[in-house]
């Protein structure tokens, strides 16, 4: 699963898939976050 955007919703989506055992890669436009 790829999550583009690591705001509040993106982090929640990533957490849901991680909890189900998926491999997740998250990225955002602002590397500081």
């Amino acid at each position: 699963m790829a999550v583009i955007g690591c705001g509040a919703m993106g982090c929640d989506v990533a957490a849901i898939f991680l909890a189900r055992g998926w491999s997740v890669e998250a990225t955002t436009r602002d590397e500081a976050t």
Side-chain angles (χ1 to χ4, degrees):
M1 166 57 88
V3 178
I4 301 171
C6 296
M9 185 174 175
C11 290
D12 287 346
V13 170
I16 290 167
F17 280 92
L18 283 169
R20 299 284 184 172
W22 287 53
S23 175
V24 176
E25 183 171 334
T27 188
T28 188
R29 290 185 298 163
D30 184 9
E31 291 190 24
T33 59

